[in-house]
mmCIF file of all heavy atoms in Angstrom:
data_model
loop_
_atom_site.group_PDB
_atom_site.id
_atom_site.type_symbol
_atom_site.label_atom_id
_atom_site.label_comp_id
_atom_site.label_asym_id
_atom_site.label_seq_id
_atom_site.Cartn_x
_atom_site.Cartn_y
_atom_site.Cartn_z
ATOM 1 N N GLN G 172 27.714 75.785 137.270
ATOM 2 C CA GLN G 172 26.900 75.448 138.483
ATOM 3 C C GLN G 172 25.650 74.666 138.169
ATOM 4 O O GLN G 172 24.566 74.905 138.746
ATOM 5 C CB GLN G 172 26.550 76.769 139.205
ATOM 6 C CG GLN G 172 27.772 77.498 139.704
ATOM 7 C CD GLN G 172 27.448 78.776 140.538
ATOM 8 O OE1 GLN G 172 26.373 79.360 140.323
ATOM 9 N NE2 GLN G 172 28.323 79.167 141.365
ATOM 10 N N GLY G 173 25.809 73.737 137.227
ATOM 11 C CA GLY G 173 24.690 72.827 136.911
ATOM 12 C C GLY G 173 23.759 73.326 135.839
ATOM 13 O O GLY G 173 22.816 72.593 135.436
ATOM 14 N N ARG G 174 23.913 74.554 135.404
ATOM 15 C CA ARG G 174 23.067 75.107 134.325
ATOM 16 C C ARG G 174 23.585 74.751 132.935
ATOM 17 O O ARG G 174 24.760 74.501 132.776
ATOM 18 C CB ARG G 174 23.001 76.641 134.440
ATOM 19 C CG ARG G 174 22.325 77.130 135.726
ATOM 20 C CD ARG G 174 22.272 78.660 135.688
ATOM 21 N NE ARG G 174 23.611 79.235 135.798
ATOM 22 C CZ ARG G 174 24.231 79.487 136.945
ATOM 23 N NH1 ARG G 174 23.627 79.208 138.069
ATOM 24 N NH2 ARG G 174 25.421 80.022 136.962
ATOM 25 N N ALA G 175 22.721 74.762 131.977
ATOM 26 C CA ALA G 175 23.154 74.636 130.576
ATOM 27 C C ALA G 175 23.801 75.974 130.165
ATOM 28 O O ALA G 175 23.383 77.031 130.599
ATOM 29 C CB ALA G 175 21.970 74.336 129.693
ATOM 30 N N PRO G 176 24.826 75.906 129.292
ATOM 31 C CA PRO G 176 25.415 77.179 128.849
ATOM 32 C C PRO G 176 24.442 77.935 127.978
ATOM 33 O O PRO G 176 23.634 77.318 127.295
ATOM 34 C CB PRO G 176 26.629 76.695 128.025
ATOM 35 C CG PRO G 176 26.255 75.326 127.608
ATOM 36 C CD PRO G 176 25.478 74.758 128.744
ATOM 37 N N VAL G 177 24.496 79.273 128.069
ATOM 38 C CA VAL G 177 23.653 80.108 127.162
ATOM 39 C C VAL G 177 24.499 80.509 125.999
ATOM 40 O O VAL G 177 25.462 81.263 126.152
ATOM 41 C CB VAL G 177 23.108 81.345 127.926
ATOM 42 C CG1 VAL G 177 22.186 82.116 127.010
ATOM 43 C CG2 VAL G 177 22.373 80.916 129.188
ATOM 44 N N THR G 178 24.226 79.973 124.807
ATOM 45 C CA THR G 178 25.043 80.207 123.658
ATOM 46 C C THR G 178 24.454 81.299 122.780
ATOM 47 O O THR G 178 23.459 81.958 123.102
ATOM 48 C CB THR G 178 25.161 78.901 122.840
ATOM 49 O OG1 THR G 178 23.848 78.608 122.274
ATOM 50 C CG2 THR G 178 25.586 77.743 123.736
ATOM 51 N N ARG G 179 25.094 81.546 121.629
ATOM 52 C CA ARG G 179 24.580 82.557 120.703
ATOM 53 C C ARG G 179 23.478 82.012 119.797
ATOM 54 O O ARG G 179 22.865 82.768 119.070
ATOM 55 C CB ARG G 179 25.749 83.003 119.792
ATOM 56 C CG ARG G 179 26.919 83.559 120.531
ATOM 57 C CD ARG G 179 28.049 83.915 119.574
ATOM 58 N NE ARG G 179 29.209 84.472 120.291
ATOM 59 C CZ ARG G 179 30.333 84.899 119.676
ATOM 60 N NH1 ARG G 179 30.427 84.853 118.362
ATOM 61 N NH2 ARG G 179 31.307 85.420 120.382
ATOM 62 N N SER G 180 23.241 80.731 119.857
ATOM 63 C CA SER G 180 22.405 80.090 118.861
ATOM 64 C C SER G 180 20.930 79.803 119.273
ATOM 65 O O SER G 180 20.235 79.116 118.568
ATOM 66 C CB SER G 180 23.049 78.759 118.393
ATOM 67 O OG SER G 180 23.150 77.852 119.490
ATOM 68 N N GLY G 181 20.529 80.322 120.421
ATOM 69 C CA GLY G 181 19.255 79.949 120.932
ATOM 70 C C GLY G 181 18.156 80.941 120.775
ATOM 71 O O GLY G 181 17.000 80.713 121.200
ATOM 72 N N ALA G 182 18.394 82.129 120.164
ATOM 73 C CA ALA G 182 17.360 83.158 120.013
ATOM 74 C C ALA G 182 16.260 82.636 119.087
ATOM 75 O O ALA G 182 16.521 81.951 118.083
ATOM 76 C CB ALA G 182 17.976 84.421 119.407
ATOM 77 N N ARG G 183 15.024 82.979 119.431
ATOM 78 C CA ARG G 183 13.879 82.488 118.687
ATOM 79 C C ARG G 183 12.941 83.677 118.298
ATOM 80 O O ARG G 183 12.817 84.641 119.063
ATOM 81 C CB ARG G 183 13.054 81.439 119.528
ATOM 82 C CG ARG G 183 13.883 80.208 119.802
ATOM 83 C CD ARG G 183 14.155 79.391 118.544
ATOM 84 N NE ARG G 183 14.972 78.213 118.838
ATOM 85 C CZ ARG G 183 16.271 78.108 118.631
ATOM 86 N NH1 ARG G 183 16.961 79.187 118.204
ATOM 87 N NH2 ARG G 183 16.931 76.994 118.871
ATOM 88 N N PRO G 184 12.274 83.575 117.187
ATOM 89 C CA PRO G 184 11.302 84.586 116.821
ATOM 90 C C PRO G 184 10.312 84.844 117.955
ATOM 91 O O PRO G 184 9.791 83.924 118.538
ATOM 92 C CB PRO G 184 10.610 84.056 115.595
ATOM 93 C CG PRO G 184 11.628 83.116 114.935
ATOM 94 C CD PRO G 184 12.331 82.529 116.169
ATOM 95 N N GLY G 185 10.069 86.131 118.244
ATOM 96 C CA GLY G 185 9.192 86.526 119.366
ATOM 97 C C GLY G 185 9.933 86.867 120.602
ATOM 98 O O GLY G 185 9.346 87.552 121.520
ATOM 99 N N ASP G 186 11.191 86.490 120.719
ATOM 100 C CA ASP G 186 11.994 86.862 121.896
ATOM 101 C C ASP G 186 12.216 88.390 121.885
ATOM 102 O O ASP G 186 12.171 89.065 120.867
ATOM 103 C CB ASP G 186 13.375 86.207 121.855
ATOM 104 C CG ASP G 186 13.316 84.729 122.213
ATOM 105 O OD1 ASP G 186 12.275 84.247 122.676
ATOM 106 O OD2 ASP G 186 14.404 84.037 122.042
ATOM 107 N N VAL G 187 12.417 88.908 123.096
ATOM 108 C CA VAL G 187 12.821 90.346 123.224
ATOM 109 C C VAL G 187 14.331 90.336 123.372
ATOM 110 O O VAL G 187 14.963 89.376 123.823
ATOM 111 C CB VAL G 187 12.159 91.025 124.427
ATOM 112 C CG1 VAL G 187 10.645 91.021 124.263
ATOM 113 C CG2 VAL G 187 12.563 90.320 125.765
ATOM 114 N N VAL G 188 14.958 91.452 123.050
ATOM 115 C CA VAL G 188 16.391 91.714 123.197
ATOM 116 C C VAL G 188 16.567 92.695 124.303
ATOM 117 O O VAL G 188 15.965 93.773 124.296
ATOM 118 C CB VAL G 188 17.009 92.242 121.915
ATOM 119 C CG1 VAL G 188 18.469 92.497 122.120
ATOM 120 C CG2 VAL G 188 16.760 91.300 120.725
ATOM 121 N N ALA G 189 17.384 92.306 125.321
ATOM 122 C CA ALA G 189 17.581 93.182 126.472
ATOM 123 C C ALA G 189 19.038 93.301 126.767
ATOM 124 O O ALA G 189 19.815 92.393 126.514
ATOM 125 C CB ALA G 189 16.854 92.683 127.672
ATOM 126 N N VAL G 190 19.461 94.426 127.362
ATOM 127 C CA VAL G 190 20.846 94.697 127.622
ATOM 128 C C VAL G 190 21.000 95.214 129.020
ATOM 129 O O VAL G 190 20.104 95.884 129.563
ATOM 130 C CB VAL G 190 21.451 95.720 126.600
ATOM 131 C CG1 VAL G 190 20.797 97.094 126.723
ATOM 132 C CG2 VAL G 190 22.961 95.791 126.713
ATOM 133 N N THR G 191 22.130 94.894 129.666
ATOM 134 C CA THR G 191 22.459 95.467 130.922
ATOM 135 C C THR G 191 23.929 95.862 130.932
ATOM 136 O O THR G 191 24.774 95.158 130.355
ATOM 137 C CB THR G 191 22.174 94.523 132.122
ATOM 138 O OG1 THR G 191 22.451 95.154 133.374
ATOM 139 C CG2 THR G 191 22.989 93.237 132.013
ATOM 140 N N GLY G 192 24.262 96.999 131.533
ATOM 141 C CA GLY G 192 25.623 97.509 131.509
ATOM 142 C C GLY G 192 25.690 98.740 130.619
ATOM 143 O O GLY G 192 24.688 99.229 130.108
ATOM 144 N N TRP G 193 26.920 99.293 130.410
ATOM 145 C CA TRP G 193 27.101 100.460 129.667
ATOM 146 C C TRP G 193 27.259 100.168 128.148
ATOM 147 O O TRP G 193 27.799 99.129 127.820
ATOM 148 C CB TRP G 193 28.373 101.226 130.127
ATOM 149 C CG TRP G 193 28.449 101.434 131.598
ATOM 150 C CD1 TRP G 193 29.301 100.780 132.475
ATOM 151 C CD2 TRP G 193 27.675 102.337 132.375
ATOM 152 N NE1 TRP G 193 29.102 101.236 133.730
ATOM 153 C CE2 TRP G 193 28.091 102.136 133.714
ATOM 154 C CE3 TRP G 193 26.657 103.200 132.085
ATOM 155 C CZ2 TRP G 193 27.523 102.936 134.769
ATOM 156 C CZ3 TRP G 193 26.114 103.980 133.106
ATOM 157 C CH2 TRP G 193 26.545 103.790 134.450
ATOM 158 N N LEU G 194 26.775 101.051 127.339
ATOM 159 C CA LEU G 194 26.931 100.968 125.908
ATOM 160 C C LEU G 194 27.467 102.336 125.380
ATOM 161 O O LEU G 194 26.886 103.377 125.658
ATOM 162 C CB LEU G 194 25.625 100.659 125.209
ATOM 163 C CG LEU G 194 25.084 99.264 125.323
ATOM 164 C CD1 LEU G 194 23.676 99.184 124.661
ATOM 165 C CD2 LEU G 194 26.031 98.240 124.716
ATOM 166 N N GLY G 195 28.558 102.287 124.651
ATOM 167 C CA GLY G 195 29.136 103.434 124.028
ATOM 168 C C GLY G 195 30.051 104.266 124.869
ATOM 169 O O GLY G 195 30.702 105.186 124.341
ATOM 170 N N TRP G 196 30.171 103.957 126.140
ATOM 171 C CA TRP G 196 30.980 104.798 127.036
ATOM 172 C C TRP G 196 32.497 104.629 126.678
ATOM 173 O O TRP G 196 33.213 105.592 126.613
ATOM 174 C CB TRP G 196 30.764 104.346 128.463
ATOM 175 C CG TRP G 196 29.446 104.848 129.049
ATOM 176 C CD1 TRP G 196 28.176 104.587 128.551
ATOM 177 C CD2 TRP G 196 29.258 105.757 130.124
ATOM 178 N NE1 TRP G 196 27.224 105.253 129.310
ATOM 179 C CE2 TRP G 196 27.865 105.956 130.292
ATOM 180 C CE3 TRP G 196 30.089 106.353 131.033
ATOM 181 C CZ2 TRP G 196 27.323 106.737 131.289
ATOM 182 C CZ3 TRP G 196 29.590 107.162 132.059
ATOM 183 C CH2 TRP G 196 28.191 107.376 132.169
ATOM 184 N N SER G 197 32.913 103.405 126.436
ATOM 185 C CA SER G 197 34.328 103.164 126.152
ATOM 186 C C SER G 197 34.694 103.860 124.802
ATOM 187 O O SER G 197 35.752 104.490 124.654
ATOM 188 C CB SER G 197 34.645 101.715 126.051
ATOM 189 O OG SER G 197 35.955 101.455 125.673
ATOM 190 N N ALA G 198 33.782 103.749 123.819
ATOM 191 C CA ALA G 198 34.070 104.356 122.492
ATOM 192 C C ALA G 198 34.108 105.877 122.615
ATOM 193 O O ALA G 198 34.931 106.540 122.025
ATOM 194 C CB ALA G 198 32.965 103.946 121.500
ATOM 195 N N ALA G 199 33.230 106.438 123.464
ATOM 196 C CA ALA G 199 33.264 107.897 123.655
ATOM 197 C C ALA G 199 34.584 108.307 124.333
ATOM 198 O O ALA G 199 35.235 109.262 123.987
ATOM 199 C CB ALA G 199 32.098 108.336 124.473
ATOM 200 N N GLY G 200 35.012 107.488 125.346
ATOM 201 C CA GLY G 200 36.270 107.765 126.001
ATOM 202 C C GLY G 200 37.453 107.636 125.064
ATOM 203 O O GLY G 200 38.413 108.453 125.174
ATOM 204 N N TYR G 201 37.427 106.651 124.185
ATOM 205 C CA TYR G 201 38.484 106.518 123.209
ATOM 206 C C TYR G 201 38.576 107.738 122.337
ATOM 207 O O TYR G 201 39.686 108.184 121.976
ATOM 208 C CB TYR G 201 38.286 105.222 122.400
ATOM 209 C CG TYR G 201 39.275 105.033 121.256
ATOM 210 C CD1 TYR G 201 40.517 104.438 121.505
ATOM 211 C CD2 TYR G 201 39.003 105.485 119.990
ATOM 212 C CE1 TYR G 201 41.429 104.312 120.497
ATOM 213 C CE2 TYR G 201 39.898 105.344 118.939
ATOM 214 C CZ TYR G 201 41.144 104.728 119.175
ATOM 215 O OH TYR G 201 42.046 104.591 118.182
ATOM 216 N N THR G 202 37.447 108.205 121.909
ATOM 217 C CA THR G 202 37.401 109.378 120.989
ATOM 218 C C THR G 202 37.992 110.586 121.700
ATOM 219 O O THR G 202 38.791 111.333 121.104
ATOM 220 C CB THR G 202 35.975 109.685 120.566
ATOM 221 O OG1 THR G 202 35.432 108.547 119.870
ATOM 222 C CG2 THR G 202 35.895 110.882 119.639
ATOM 223 N N VAL G 203 37.643 110.755 122.977
ATOM 224 C CA VAL G 203 38.172 111.865 123.763
ATOM 225 C C VAL G 203 39.716 111.744 123.893
ATOM 226 O O VAL G 203 40.460 112.734 123.688
ATOM 227 C CB VAL G 203 37.536 111.870 125.147
ATOM 228 C CG1 VAL G 203 38.283 112.819 126.089
ATOM 229 C CG2 VAL G 203 36.068 112.303 125.071
ATOM 230 N N LEU G 204 40.197 110.541 124.225
ATOM 231 C CA LEU G 204 41.643 110.338 124.361
ATOM 232 C C LEU G 204 42.371 110.523 123.028
ATOM 233 O O LEU G 204 43.451 111.130 122.994
ATOM 234 C CB LEU G 204 41.891 108.924 124.881
ATOM 235 C CG LEU G 204 41.612 108.674 126.360
ATOM 236 C CD1 LEU G 204 41.561 107.181 126.646
ATOM 237 C CD2 LEU G 204 42.674 109.364 127.239
ATOM 238 N N SER G 205 41.781 110.065 121.955
ATOM 239 C CA SER G 205 42.452 110.183 120.667
ATOM 240 C C SER G 205 42.562 111.611 120.183
ATOM 241 O O SER G 205 43.393 111.963 119.299
ATOM 242 C CB SER G 205 41.746 109.330 119.611
ATOM 243 O OG SER G 205 40.401 109.882 119.346
ATOM 244 N N ARG G 206 41.809 112.494 120.775
ATOM 245 C CA ARG G 206 41.864 113.915 120.462
ATOM 246 C C ARG G 206 42.723 114.710 121.428
ATOM 247 O O ARG G 206 42.734 115.936 121.446
ATOM 248 C CB ARG G 206 40.457 114.532 120.346
ATOM 249 C CG ARG G 206 39.750 114.162 119.058
ATOM 250 C CD ARG G 206 38.273 114.396 119.154
ATOM 251 N NE ARG G 206 37.615 114.250 117.819
ATOM 252 C CZ ARG G 206 37.370 113.126 117.204
ATOM 253 N NH1 ARG G 206 37.804 111.980 117.709
ATOM 254 N NH2 ARG G 206 36.751 113.113 116.023
ATOM 255 N N GLY G 207 43.417 113.960 122.339
ATOM 256 C CA GLY G 207 44.343 114.599 123.233
ATOM 257 C C GLY G 207 43.800 115.110 124.529
ATOM 258 O O GLY G 207 44.478 115.810 125.265
ATOM 259 N N PHE G 208 42.535 114.727 124.821
ATOM 260 C CA PHE G 208 41.914 115.193 126.092
ATOM 261 C C PHE G 208 41.833 114.091 127.120
ATOM 262 O O PHE G 208 42.031 112.913 126.775
ATOM 263 C CB PHE G 208 40.491 115.756 125.763
ATOM 264 C CG PHE G 208 40.489 116.896 124.848
ATOM 265 C CD1 PHE G 208 40.101 116.752 123.485
ATOM 266 C CD2 PHE G 208 40.832 118.158 125.268
ATOM 267 C CE1 PHE G 208 40.100 117.784 122.612
ATOM 268 C CE2 PHE G 208 40.843 119.272 124.386
ATOM 269 C CZ PHE G 208 40.459 119.065 123.077
ATOM 270 N N ARG G 209 41.564 114.443 128.357
ATOM 271 C CA ARG G 209 41.487 113.449 129.429
ATOM 272 C C ARG G 209 40.145 113.576 130.208
ATOM 273 O O ARG G 209 40.020 112.979 131.273
ATOM 274 C CB ARG G 209 42.650 113.647 130.390
ATOM 275 C CG ARG G 209 44.024 113.336 129.792
ATOM 276 C CD ARG G 209 44.187 111.914 129.409
ATOM 277 N NE ARG G 209 45.510 111.558 128.924
ATOM 278 C CZ ARG G 209 45.892 111.621 127.698
ATOM 279 N NH1 ARG G 209 45.034 111.982 126.718
ATOM 280 N NH2 ARG G 209 47.099 111.295 127.275
ATOM 281 N N SER G 210 39.222 114.319 129.635
ATOM 282 C CA SER G 210 37.893 114.451 130.301
ATOM 283 C C SER G 210 36.851 114.629 129.205
ATOM 284 O O SER G 210 37.168 114.968 128.088
ATOM 285 C CB SER G 210 37.929 115.636 131.252
ATOM 286 O OG SER G 210 38.099 116.828 130.523
ATOM 287 N N PRO G 211 35.562 114.285 129.504
ATOM 288 C CA PRO G 211 35.021 113.914 130.809
ATOM 289 C C PRO G 211 35.595 112.623 131.359
ATOM 290 O O PRO G 211 35.667 111.601 130.649
ATOM 291 C CB PRO G 211 33.511 113.806 130.554
ATOM 292 C CG PRO G 211 33.249 114.569 129.284
ATOM 293 C CD PRO G 211 34.521 114.382 128.465
ATOM 294 N N ARG G 212 35.931 112.643 132.606
ATOM 295 C CA ARG G 212 36.666 111.585 133.223
ATOM 296 C C ARG G 212 35.905 110.236 133.244
ATOM 297 O O ARG G 212 36.466 109.163 133.017
ATOM 298 C CB ARG G 212 37.094 111.944 134.658
ATOM 299 C CG ARG G 212 38.001 110.915 135.303
ATOM 300 C CD ARG G 212 38.515 111.427 136.643
ATOM 301 N NE ARG G 212 39.355 110.446 137.256
ATOM 302 C CZ ARG G 212 40.691 110.348 136.993
ATOM 303 N NH1 ARG G 212 41.245 111.147 136.108
ATOM 304 N NH2 ARG G 212 41.423 109.458 137.582
ATOM 305 N N ALA G 213 34.567 110.326 133.447
ATOM 306 C CA ALA G 213 33.791 109.087 133.521
ATOM 307 C C ALA G 213 33.916 108.235 132.254
ATOM 308 O O ALA G 213 33.984 107.032 132.281
ATOM 309 C CB ALA G 213 32.321 109.395 133.797
ATOM 310 N N PHE G 214 33.941 108.939 131.106
ATOM 311 C CA PHE G 214 34.021 108.190 129.810
ATOM 312 C C PHE G 214 35.438 107.732 129.541
ATOM 313 O O PHE G 214 35.606 106.622 128.997
ATOM 314 C CB PHE G 214 33.517 109.103 128.696
ATOM 315 C CG PHE G 214 32.048 109.382 128.837
ATOM 316 C CD1 PHE G 214 31.604 110.472 129.563
ATOM 317 C CD2 PHE G 214 31.078 108.530 128.281
ATOM 318 C CE1 PHE G 214 30.193 110.723 129.716
ATOM 319 C CE2 PHE G 214 29.734 108.773 128.377
ATOM 320 C CZ PHE G 214 29.302 109.876 129.136
ATOM 321 N N VAL G 215 36.398 108.527 129.886
ATOM 322 C CA VAL G 215 37.822 108.090 129.763
ATOM 323 C C VAL G 215 38.080 106.882 130.636
ATOM 324 O O VAL G 215 38.744 105.897 130.170
ATOM 325 C CB VAL G 215 38.746 109.247 130.114
ATOM 326 C CG1 VAL G 215 40.218 108.727 130.166
ATOM 327 C CG2 VAL G 215 38.614 110.363 129.077
ATOM 328 N N GLU G 216 37.587 106.908 131.860
ATOM 329 C CA GLU G 216 37.801 105.778 132.755
ATOM 330 C C GLU G 216 37.070 104.532 132.236
ATOM 331 O O GLU G 216 37.509 103.401 132.462
ATOM 332 C CB GLU G 216 37.322 106.127 134.154
ATOM 333 C CG GLU G 216 38.249 107.127 134.849
ATOM 334 C CD GLU G 216 39.669 106.629 134.930
ATOM 335 O OE1 GLU G 216 39.911 105.463 135.369
ATOM 336 O OE2 GLU G 216 40.575 107.351 134.502
ATOM 337 N N ALA G 217 35.904 104.731 131.565
ATOM 338 C CA ALA G 217 35.175 103.547 131.022
ATOM 339 C C ALA G 217 35.983 102.899 129.931
ATOM 340 O O ALA G 217 35.910 101.683 129.761
ATOM 341 C CB ALA G 217 33.822 104.030 130.477
ATOM 342 N N HIS G 218 36.771 103.659 129.221
ATOM 343 C CA HIS G 218 37.649 103.051 128.228
ATOM 344 C C HIS G 218 38.864 102.377 128.849
ATOM 345 O O HIS G 218 39.215 101.281 128.457
ATOM 346 C CB HIS G 218 38.148 104.109 127.212
ATOM 347 C CG HIS G 218 39.130 103.559 126.260
ATOM 348 N ND1 HIS G 218 38.800 102.699 125.216
ATOM 349 C CD2 HIS G 218 40.488 103.723 126.106
ATOM 350 C CE1 HIS G 218 39.834 102.379 124.509
ATOM 351 N NE2 HIS G 218 40.891 102.960 125.060
ATOM 352 N N ARG G 219 39.397 103.037 129.830
ATOM 353 C CA ARG G 219 40.600 102.445 130.515
ATOM 354 C C ARG G 219 40.261 101.242 131.362
ATOM 355 O O ARG G 219 41.071 100.282 131.398
ATOM 356 C CB ARG G 219 41.255 103.520 131.419
ATOM 357 C CG ARG G 219 41.912 104.665 130.685
ATOM 358 C CD ARG G 219 42.241 105.742 131.681
ATOM 359 N NE ARG G 219 43.147 106.740 131.095
ATOM 360 C CZ ARG G 219 43.315 107.988 131.616
ATOM 361 N NH1 ARG G 219 42.656 108.300 132.711
ATOM 362 N NH2 ARG G 219 44.103 108.854 131.056
ATOM 363 N N ARG G 220 39.102 101.256 131.943
ATOM 364 C CA ARG G 220 38.770 100.225 132.938
ATOM 365 C C ARG G 220 37.272 99.919 132.865
ATOM 366 O O ARG G 220 36.489 100.422 133.659
ATOM 367 C CB ARG G 220 39.149 100.707 134.322
ATOM 368 C CG ARG G 220 39.261 99.652 135.380
ATOM 369 C CD ARG G 220 39.496 100.300 136.750
ATOM 370 N NE ARG G 220 40.776 101.049 136.788
ATOM 371 C CZ ARG G 220 41.163 101.748 137.809
ATOM 372 N NH1 ARG G 220 40.400 101.834 138.910
ATOM 373 N NH2 ARG G 220 42.284 102.405 137.793
#
Side-chain angles (χ1 to χ4, degrees):
Q172 297 183 334
R174 295 181 293 272
V177 183
T178 67
R179 302 176 180 183
S180 61
R183 297 292 178 262
D186 285 351
V187 299
V188 179
V190 66
T191 184
W193 309 109
L194 287 175
W196 285 60
S197 177
Y201 175 85
T202 302
V203 168
L204 285 165
S205 66
R206 284 162 170 73
F208 299 103
R209 296 294 185 269
S210 63
R212 187 173 180 83
F214 293 89
V215 171
E216 289 304 309
H218 176 71
R219 289 171 171 162
R220 195 185 301 175

